[in-house]
Amino acid sequence: MNAPKRRDRAATRSALLDAARRRFAEHGFDGTGVREIAADAGVDATLIFRYFGSKQDLFDAALATEVPAGLGERAAGPVEFTDALVQAVVLGDPAENDGEHPLLLMLRSAGRPEVRARLHEEVCNGYLADLAARFDGEDAALRAELVGALLLGMGVMRAVVGSPVLPAADPERVRARVAAMVAALEA
């Protein structure tokens, strides 16, 4: 008599998260079904509910993001902070996130009020607030939002629109151009 095959809970959970990130990044929340995610992970769809509770909880887990580790320590000014964000969010290797960066993943599902609220919280109260604190002057928040618009626009052009030049551009050249724009906002 054969013993029942035991599933590796951590590996299954990881496979589901990887599949969910790819699907949500490509199709957004509403265009992604739990059956497709489970099929991509090679498991039964009921395991999504066992490990995550719901499709929404799986989406939330797939969005788990944080400011890149050590960003505050190595990024003294707005140029350095922006450069770290360009590297992590805009030019980052999609394979590192099992799809696009979670901020871009949220943009694909921004039609949902709860996703828009989370996007607002992470961008405005997280990244932009940190960036604004690095600018001197009374219009620091405005300059931070201008940089934020630049970075989000770059992310959309690269990942969503599929523009022909930005995705193929030399990352060092992109970083240098962005640094020059941010440096102009420091004055």
Side-chain angles (χ1 to χ4, degrees):
M1 178 189 261
N2 291 337
K5 184 178 177 184
R6 294 188 55 101
R7 183 170 299 282
D8 179 344
R9 179 179 171 84
T12 300
R13 188 175 182 355
S14 179
L16 285 167
L17 272 172
D18 292 349
R21 285 183 185 113
R22 284 189 300 273
R23 285 279 176 172
F24 289 136
E26 187 174 340
H27 304 288
F29 183 88
D30 293 329
T32 298
V34 294
R35 287 189 182 100
E36 292 88 3
I37 294 169
D40 290 352
V43 300
D44 188 84
T46 58
L47 291 178
I48 289 174
F49 303 101
R50 179 181 298 164
Y51 294 149
F52 296 95
S54 68
K55 177 182 167 184
Q56 181 64 53
D57 291 337
L58 174 59
F59 183 73
D60 291 341
L63 289 179
T65 184
E66 48 191 61
V67 174
L71 181 60
E73 295 81 40
R74 70 177 191 266
V79 172
E80 295 85 4
F81 186 81
T82 302
D83 184 60
L85 289 176
V86 167
Q87 290 180 66
V89 179
V90 179
L91 299 176
D93 182 3
E96 290 178 15
N97 295 306
D98 299 307
E100 293 298 336
H101 189 276
L103 288 174
L104 296 173
L105 194 152
M106 280 189 265
L107 286 173
R108 291 202 191 259
S109 299
R112 303 179 60 79
E114 65 276 11
V115 176
R116 270 195 316 277
R118 182 167 178 177
L119 187 60
H120 174 84
E121 177 67 26
E122 289 197 28
V123 171
C124 295
N125 299 335
Y127 293 101
L128 294 180
D130 197 355
L131 180 57
R134 295 166 192 279
F135 278 109
D136 292 326
E138 62 186 55
D139 65 347
L142 172 62
R143 289 181 281 155
E145 284 195 25
L146 290 170
V147 173
L150 171 68
L151 297 182
L152 282 174
M154 289 172 62
V156 168
M157 290 297 289
R158 184 174 176 259
V160 179
V161 174
S163 64
V165 177
L166 185 57
D170 173 45
E172 295 307 312
R173 188 168 187 179
V174 171
R175 290 174 56 208
R177 297 280 186 193
V178 171
M181 288 186 263
V182 176
L185 288 171
E186 277 190 292

Coordinates of all heavy atoms in Angstrom, one line a residue, residues 4 7 10 15 17 21 31 41 45-46 54 57 59 80 107 112 116 121 130 149 162 172 176 178-179 183:
P4 N -0.1 8.2 1.1 CA -0.5 9.3 0.3 C 0.7 10.3 0.1 O 1.5 10.5 1.0 CB -1.6 10.0 1.1 CG -1.6 9.3 2.4 CD -0.8 8.0 2.3
R7 N 2.3 17.0 0.3 CA 2.6 18.2 -0.4 C 3.5 19.1 0.4 O 3.3 19.2 1.6 CB 1.3 18.9 -0.7 CG 1.4 20.2 -1.5 CD 0.1 20.8 -2.0 NE -0.7 19.9 -2.8 CZ -0.4 19.6 -4.1 NH1 0.5 20.2 -4.7 NH2 -1.2 18.8 -4.8
A10 N 5.1 25.0 1.8 CA 5.9 26.2 1.4 C 6.1 26.3 -0.1 O 5.9 27.4 -0.7 CB 7.2 26.3 2.1
A15 N 4.6 28.6 -5.3 CA 4.3 28.4 -6.7 C 3.0 29.2 -7.0 O 2.8 29.8 -8.1 CB 4.1 26.9 -7.0
L17 N 1.9 31.9 -5.4 CA 2.2 33.4 -5.4 C 2.9 33.8 -6.7 O 2.6 34.8 -7.3 CB 3.1 33.7 -4.3 CG 2.4 34.1 -3.0 CD1 3.4 34.2 -1.8 CD2 1.6 35.4 -3.1
R21 N 1.3 36.4 -9.3 CA 2.0 37.6 -9.7 C 2.0 37.8 -11.3 O 1.8 38.8 -11.8 CB 3.4 37.7 -9.1 CG 3.4 38.0 -7.7 CD 4.8 38.1 -7.1 NE 4.8 38.3 -5.7 CZ 5.3 37.4 -4.8 NH1 5.8 36.3 -5.2 NH2 5.2 37.6 -3.5
G31 N -9.3 40.3 -14.6 CA -9.1 39.4 -15.7 C -8.4 38.1 -15.4 O -8.0 37.3 -16.3
A41 N 0.3 26.9 -11.5 CA 1.1 26.4 -10.4 C 1.1 24.9 -10.3 O 1.9 24.3 -9.6 CB 0.6 26.9 -9.1
A45 N -7.3 24.3 -7.6 CA -7.7 25.6 -7.2 C -8.1 25.7 -5.8 O -8.0 26.8 -5.2 CB -8.9 26.1 -8.1
T46 N -8.6 24.6 -5.2 CA -9.0 24.7 -3.8 C -7.8 25.0 -2.8 O -8.0 25.6 -1.7 CB -9.6 23.4 -3.3 OG1 -8.7 22.3 -3.5 CG2 -10.9 23.1 -4.1
S54 N -8.8 33.6 0.0 CA -9.7 34.1 -1.0 C -8.8 34.6 -2.2 O -7.6 34.8 -2.0 CB -10.6 35.3 -0.6 OG -9.8 36.4 -0.2
D57 N -7.3 37.9 -1.0 CA -6.1 37.7 -0.1 C -4.9 37.2 -0.8 O -3.8 37.6 -0.5 CB -6.5 36.6 1.0 CG -7.5 37.2 2.0 OD1 -7.7 38.4 2.1 OD2 -8.2 36.3 2.6
F59 N -4.3 38.1 -4.0 CA -3.9 39.3 -4.6 C -3.1 40.2 -3.7 O -2.0 40.7 -4.0 CB -5.1 40.1 -5.1 CG -4.8 41.3 -5.9 CD1 -4.3 41.3 -7.2 CD2 -5.1 42.6 -5.4 CE1 -4.0 42.4 -7.9 CE2 -4.8 43.7 -6.1 CZ -4.3 43.7 -7.4
E80 N 19.8 60.4 -5.5 CA 20.2 59.0 -5.1 C 18.9 58.2 -4.8 O 18.9 57.0 -5.2 CB 21.1 59.1 -3.8 CG 22.4 59.7 -4.1 CD 22.4 61.2 -3.9 OE1 21.3 61.8 -3.5 OE2 23.4 61.9 -4.2
L107 N -1.2 49.1 -10.8 CA -1.7 49.9 -11.9 C -2.7 49.2 -12.8 O -3.7 49.7 -13.3 CB -0.6 50.6 -12.7 CG 0.1 51.7 -11.9 CD1 1.3 52.1 -12.8 CD2 -0.8 52.9 -11.7
R112 N -10.2 49.0 -9.5 CA -10.8 48.5 -8.2 C -10.5 49.6 -7.1 O -9.4 49.9 -6.9 CB -10.3 47.2 -7.8 CG -10.5 46.1 -8.9 CD -10.0 44.8 -8.5 NE -10.6 44.3 -7.3 CZ -11.8 43.7 -7.3 NH1 -12.5 43.5 -8.4 NH2 -12.3 43.2 -6.1
R116 N -6.9 51.1 -5.8 CA -6.5 52.5 -5.9 C -6.2 53.1 -4.5 O -5.2 53.8 -4.4 CB -7.7 53.3 -6.5 CG -7.7 53.4 -8.0 CD -8.6 54.5 -8.5 NE -9.9 54.6 -7.9 CZ -10.9 53.8 -8.3 NH1 -10.8 52.9 -9.2 NH2 -12.1 54.0 -7.7
E121 N -1.9 54.9 -1.0 CA -1.2 54.8 0.3 C 0.3 54.6 0.1 O 1.2 55.2 0.7 CB -1.8 53.7 1.2 CG -1.1 53.5 2.5 CD -1.2 54.6 3.5 OE1 -2.2 55.4 3.4 OE2 -0.3 54.8 4.3
D130 N 8.7 60.1 1.4 CA 10.1 59.9 1.7 C 10.9 60.8 0.8 O 11.9 61.5 1.2 CB 10.5 58.5 1.5 CG 11.8 58.1 2.2 OD1 12.5 59.0 2.7 OD2 12.2 56.9 2.2
A149 N 5.6 61.2 -10.9 CA 4.9 61.1 -12.2 C 5.8 60.6 -13.3 O 5.4 59.8 -14.1 CB 4.3 62.5 -12.6
G162 N 4.5 49.1 -23.6 CA 5.5 48.4 -24.4 C 6.1 49.3 -25.4 O 6.3 48.9 -26.6
E172 N 22.1 52.3 -17.8 CA 22.9 53.4 -17.2 C 22.6 54.7 -17.9 O 22.7 55.8 -17.2 CB 24.4 53.0 -17.4 CG 24.9 51.8 -16.6 CD 24.5 51.9 -15.1 OE1 24.8 53.0 -14.5 OE2 24.0 51.0 -14.6
A176 N 21.2 58.0 -15.9 CA 21.9 59.3 -16.0 C 20.9 60.4 -16.4 O 20.9 61.5 -15.9 CB 23.0 59.2 -17.0
V178 N 17.6 60.4 -16.0 CA 16.7 60.7 -14.9 C 17.4 61.5 -13.8 O 16.8 62.4 -13.2 CB 16.1 59.4 -14.3 CG1 15.3 59.6 -13.0 CG2 15.2 58.7 -15.4
A179 N 18.6 61.1 -13.5 CA 19.4 61.9 -12.5 C 19.5 63.3 -12.8 O 19.3 64.2 -12.0 CB 20.7 61.2 -12.3
A183 N 18.1 66.3 -10.6 CA 19.0 67.3 -10.2 C 18.5 68.7 -10.5 O 18.6 69.7 -9.8 CB 20.4 67.1 -10.8

